[in-house]
Amino acid sequence: MFTTEFLITSLIVVLIPGTGVVFTVSTGLSQGRRASVLASLGCTLGIVPHLLATVLGLAAVMHTSALAFQLLKYAGVAYLFYLAVVTWRDQSAFTVQPIRADGGALGLVTKAFLLNILNPKLTIFFLAFLPQFIQPDGGAPLLQLMGLSGVFMVMTFGVFVVYGLLAHAFRKSVIESARVQAYLRRSFAAAFAGLGTQLAFSER
């Protein structure tokens, strides 16, 4: 079940920069190491609804219903453009901000969670990708699916943490340069807008 092909393909999928990576990197730069780990956790938890949709058969409905897919897709597009606008308009300097105990950490995890829960491509990914690695003669296909999904989530969390920690490691040079901060902020905003545009024009 956990073949080399599965592990390599999953790693490639996780490594490709997307909304979660952009959010985790920007969080690592602006709020520090702990915040980047929380962002990674939120993005990883955002995979769970897509897994449940696959297990419960809703993914098949999403795959065949143009309306259901479009509704979820444009909800994700709207959220990405919202993040782009907020990031572009934010003029505050990047600083390492502590995570407050009054819901700050939960709010960050929730924000990262929403990024992935509104990504219909994950549902299609689980529907089209994971079933290929279920062994017909292995028995308990549901348990196999859960196991494959668990490995994918662990891999996602690990890679995102590395991305966030790398961003945190270079934060000093970023924080000391207003020009670099402005460039990065615009780059993050453009990345969110670009991902939203790509999702808006993507086919099923």
Side-chain angles (χ1 to χ4, degrees):
M1 180 171 64
F2 303 113
T3 62
T4 302
E5 290 80 6
F6 167 75
L7 296 175
I8 292 177
T9 305
S10 296
L11 181 60
I12 292 174
V13 170
V14 174
L15 283 172
I16 295 174
T19 55
V21 170
V22 173
F23 182 75
T24 302
V25 169
S26 62
T27 300
L29 284 172
S30 62
Q31 298 190 50
R33 183 186 298 112
R34 183 180 175 220
S36 70
V37 174
L38 290 172
S40 301
L41 176 62
C43 288
T44 303
L45 291 176
I47 296 174
V48 174
H50 299 279
L51 168 61
L52 293 178
T54 303
V55 172
L56 297 176
L58 293 179
V61 176
M62 296 295 297
H63 193 59
T64 57
S65 171
L67 177 61
F69 181 84
Q70 293 298 323
L71 287 176
L72 181 59
K73 182 175 79 170
Y74 285 112
V77 169
Y79 190 65
L80 286 171
F81 276 110
Y82 164 76
L83 288 177
V85 171
V86 170
T87 303
W88 185 274
R89 296 180 61 182
D90 182 15
Q91 299 300 317
S92 61
F94 282 154
T95 56
V96 179
Q97 305 168 359
I99 302 299
R100 302 187 305 275
D102 56 347
L106 179 60
L108 181 56
V109 172
T110 301
K111 192 173 184 180
F113 173 81
L114 287 174
L115 273 176
N116 268 356
I117 196 177
L118 291 174
N119 183 359
K121 293 300 182 183
L122 273 177
T123 297
I124 303 302
F125 168 80
F126 274 102
L127 177 67
F129 175 72
L130 288 185
Q132 299 180 32
F133 297 95
I134 294 179
Q135 303 295 328
D137 56 350
L142 178 59
L143 291 180
Q144 291 188 57
L145 180 62
M146 297 296 287
L148 291 169
S149 301
V151 171
F152 182 81
M153 290 177 65
V154 170
M155 195 175 293
T156 298
F157 180 72
V159 169
F160 277 35
V161 166
V162 171
Y163 272 125
L165 294 182
L166 285 175
H168 172 76
F170 289 100
R171 78 194 189 285
K172 189 175 185 294
S173 59
V174 172
I175 289 173
E176 291 178 351
S177 173
R179 175 179 294 182
V180 172
Q181 289 189 37
Y183 172 77
L184 285 175
R185 184 176 289 108
R186 288 176 172 82
S187 296
F188 289 139
F192 282 128
L195 289 165
T197 301
Q198 181 183 38
L199 179 58
F201 288 97
S202 66
E203 298 297 330
R204 288 159 39 84

